[in-house]
Amino acid sequence: MTAPPADLPLDLPDAQLPGVLGAALAGLYTGEPRLPARPGGRAAGLAALRAWTGAGYRERNHLSGNVSRLSMYLRHGMIGIREVAAHARHVLRGRERDEFLRQLTWGEFFRLVLRQEGARVLDNLEEPKYPARWTDALPDDVRAARTQLPCVDAWVTHLIRDGWLHNHERLWFAAYLIHWRGVHWRAGYAFFREHLLDGDIASNALSWQWVASTFSGKPYFMNQENVERFSGGRWCRTCTANCPFRGSYEELEARLFSGHLPQQSPASPGGGDPRHAAPAEEPAAEVAPTPIQPTGPTAPRVVWVHGDGLSVTDAALSACPDAPALFVFDRPFLSGTPVAFPRLAFMYQGVRDIAAARRAPTHARVGAVAGELAAFARAYGAGELHVTRNFTPEFTRILAGVRAAHPDLRVVVHDPERLTSYDGPVRRFFGFWKKVEREVLQGSPSPDAPRRGHR
Ligand SMILES: Cc1cc2nc3c(=O)[nH]c(=O)nc-3n(C[C@H](O)[C@H](O)[C@H](O)COP(=O)(O)OP(=O)(O)OC[C@H]3O[C@@H](n4cnc5c(N)ncnc54)[C@H](O)[C@@H]3O)c2cc1C
């Protein structure tokens, strides 16, 4: 039986991706259709993991430091957090090993904050720790990489070209946008979401809030010396601009924050500002899906594959190796907030690897997810839908839509892989780290391990 036309073919070679996928997803992405700077999928993720030796990770704050660049694969579940931790324990030693595992734990911390706070992570979790007056829109000169500051323009250019930035560049750019340009962190979050291959609601929104001081005790900012030192002087050496970052930290603090900053955060992350309450969930704009034609016999259960679990090792897929599976590009969601095409192609490559690795049929479609899932289960005559949980507001919305569209369908939710077993409340990373440190490091920290400090 051949796949119906409404299904996306899952055997497209990379050369055809921009053309065929670009046409199928028209209106759901920004910019021109092109391949991602790094290929997506489990095979590519595993190859990148195995190739990373970690040597020199201690220099990770330098742009030349040997960071793993695995974030896009981790973000989409193409490789698992536990297999990355196991690899790090194998190839790294002492302080470097501890430092890498601590960084990996930041991602888990942010996901737990998302689980706790839900859609509130898209709003100020706390009051800013200085008298901030932010505008809403991303300035045109920033978006176009024409700020006349070679470093800032390079960060924007690399973000758009590669879909990835070094953590220090992300911090510098965020500080520039929020503190020097007076733009609300949400505009930066949206810009990153549009272009990052690893863009995810938890790490992205909460890192922006951390810089803005709405999820930290004080704002993060840098000076020119810091940029020059950690970039190896690559922009500063030849820069003729009137550098806004020049000055001591005390001078910049007085200039940017009109005085001294508090030492401690007075607010709790859950406090929130009622004037900025998260908007109520919009009901999903459901359009009747075009009929699904099963490519195999009826099946008692089907699997929903989503963007956090794009690997055959996904918990729901592993539990149901013989069940037909469906991935849906969420048309209503993406038409409201499109992302750059390479991210969609990266995800497609992940689904394509899943299809190639499974014996049961795997489908990919474009539509309203809840309606597509309900129709998919009906088409296969399935009584159960299996899925791996994620903590995004969309996940909850979609499952509610599935239950409404197909009340007889039993939804079985599998837990995602975790690095730690901690399940209590979370507030600041340092407190969380103290609770999970021994579990993550599988013992005591190395004698020379950092105790806290720079992220
Ligand atoms: C403003 C801003 C926005 C960000 N948005 C995202 C995002 O959308 N998605 C995302 O995955 N990361 C985000 N980060 C965190 C961090 O910059 C990236 O995870 C990291 O740069 C990825 O590169 P790497 O894989 O080489 O990291 P490595 O240093 O090799 O670390 C290994 C893994 O640990 C995790 N990790 C490392 N540092 C952090 C961190 N500070 N916070 C959370 N996880 C971390 C990532 O999964 C990463 O792949 C953001 C940081 C800032 C300052």
Side-chain angles (χ1 to χ4, degrees):
M1 219 180 282
T2 53
D7 275 30
L8 292 172
L10 278 176
D11 55 358
L12 285 176
D14 281 349
Q16 287 179 23
L17 268 189
V20 178
L21 196 62
L25 300 178
L28 306 184
Y29 57 86
T30 60
E32 291 303 310
R34 62 187 164 89
L35 289 173
R38 303 191 85 186
R42 174 145 178 89
L46 277 181
L49 177 64
R50 287 176 187 142
W52 187 65
T53 63
Y57 189 73
R58 76 181 61 232
E59 298 294 319
R60 71 171 192 93
N61 283 325
H62 293 261
L63 301 194
S64 58
N66 184 17
V67 292
S68 70
R69 296 183 180 230
L70 293 171
S71 48
M72 59 288 272
Y73 299 110
L74 278 160
R75 155 66 184 91
H76 289 294
M78 291 165 183
I79 52 176
I81 194 162
R82 283 180 170 268
E83 64 191 334
V84 172
H87 177 81
R89 289 188 190 107
H90 183 64
V91 298
L92 297 173
R93 292 283 169 273
R95 181 191 172 121
E96 272 184 341
R97 187 193 75 127
D98 292 3
E99 184 52 29
F100 181 83
L101 291 169
R102 199 174 74 101
Q103 289 307 120
L104 205 56
T105 308
W106 267 99
E108 173 129 322
F109 168 70
F110 285 142
R111 277 187 294 280
L112 292 179
V113 177
L114 175 65
R115 181 176 77 171
Q116 177 177 290
E117 302 296 329
R120 281 190 299 271
V121 302
L122 294 176
D123 216 329
N124 289 355
L125 283 173
E126 301 163 17
E127 287 298 323
K129 309 306 177 305
Y130 67 101
R133 275 188 301 279
W134 294 321
T135 55
D136 285 338
L138 187 73
D140 288 343
D141 64 313
V142 175
R143 183 180 292 280
R146 285 176 197 229
T147 62
Q148 313 296 329
L149 298 173
C151 54
V152 176
D153 292 348
W155 303 330
V156 173
T157 306
H158 295 164
L159 170 71
I160 294 171
R161 186 191 64 198
D162 302 336
W164 184 86
L165 281 181
H166 186 281
N167 186 55
H168 228 144
E169 294 177 294
R170 299 184 200 212
L171 287 167
W172 293 330
F173 178 76
Y176 167 73
L177 194 68
I178 300 169
H179 307 315
W180 273 270
R181 300 296 298 266
V183 176
H184 197 288
W185 62 264
R186 233 185 273 114
Y189 160 81
F191 189 45
F192 270 21
R193 175 194 173 275
E194 182 183 345
H195 292 288
L196 283 175
L197 293 176
D198 64 30
D200 89 307
I201 181 171
S203 291
N204 191 11
L206 292 165
S207 294
W208 278 91
Q209 297 225 41
W210 190 85
V211 172
S213 78
T214 54
F215 185 52
S216 61
K218 42 180 171 176
Y220 166 86
F221 64 104
M222 72 294 184
N223 65 7
Q224 182 267 337
E225 222 179 295
N226 181 276
V227 176
E228 178 160 15
R229 173 167 173 231
F230 288 101
S231 66
R234 66 178 73 167
W235 304 293
C236 303
R237 257 196 309 270
T238 51
C239 183
T240 53
N242 184 10
C243 179
F245 311 131
R246 203 165 287 139
S248 67
Y249 278 99
E250 292 71 27
E251 285 162 354
L252 290 173
E253 182 171 317
R255 208 185 305 157
L256 296 172
F257 308 109
S258 24
H260 293 286
L261 296 170
Q263 294 301 307
Q264 288 297 323
S265 162
S268 73
D273 176 349
R275 289 166 304 167
H276 295 269
E281 285 297 330
E282 294 279 334
E286 296 287 331
V287 200
T290 47
I292 290 175
Q293 201 179 339
T295 54
T298 57
R301 50 194 189 171
V302 290
V303 179
W304 170 27
V305 177
H306 54 64
D308 282 20
L310 295 180
S311 159
V312 278
T313 56
D314 168 73
L317 282 175
S318 303
C320 313
D322 297 319
L326 176 67
F327 173 84
V328 185
F329 284 104
D330 190 337
R331 184 184 291 285
F333 183 68
L334 285 170
S335 39
T337 44
V339 295
F341 184 81
R343 172 75 173 278
L344 301 179
F346 189 82
M347 292 168 72
Y348 173 89
Q349 290 168 323
V351 187
R352 190 179 60 188
D353 273 14
I354 292 175
R358 299 183 84 230
R359 54 178 183 265
T362 302
H363 299 250
R365 296 177 63 98
V366 191
V369 185
E372 291 286 351
L373 287 170
F376 186 68
R378 282 205 174 91
Y380 273 102
E384 281 182 5
L385 172 74
H386 288 247
V387 62
T388 304
R389 185 189 310 284
N390 73 42
F391 304 126
T392 62
E394 287 75 40
F395 182 78
T396 316
R397 167 179 68 79
I398 288 166
L399 280 194
V402 171
R403 290 189 174 106
H406 193 333
D408 301 333
L409 189 65
R410 182 166 167 257
V411 177
V412 182
V413 180
H414 297 258
D415 282 326
E417 188 178 79
R418 290 263 316 265
L419 186 60
T420 73
S421 52
Y422 178 77
D423 258 329
V426 277
R427 183 166 185 269
R428 292 284 191 250
F429 180 76
F430 185 66
F432 174 65
W433 177 243
K434 286 290 104 195
K435 291 194 170 71
V436 302
E437 184 178 31
R438 288 187 65 87
E439 182 183 2
V440 173
L441 300 183
Q442 296 185 343
S444 303
S446 306
D448 59 350
R451 307 304 303 167
R452 66 181 303 175
H454 197 295
R455 314 172 26 191

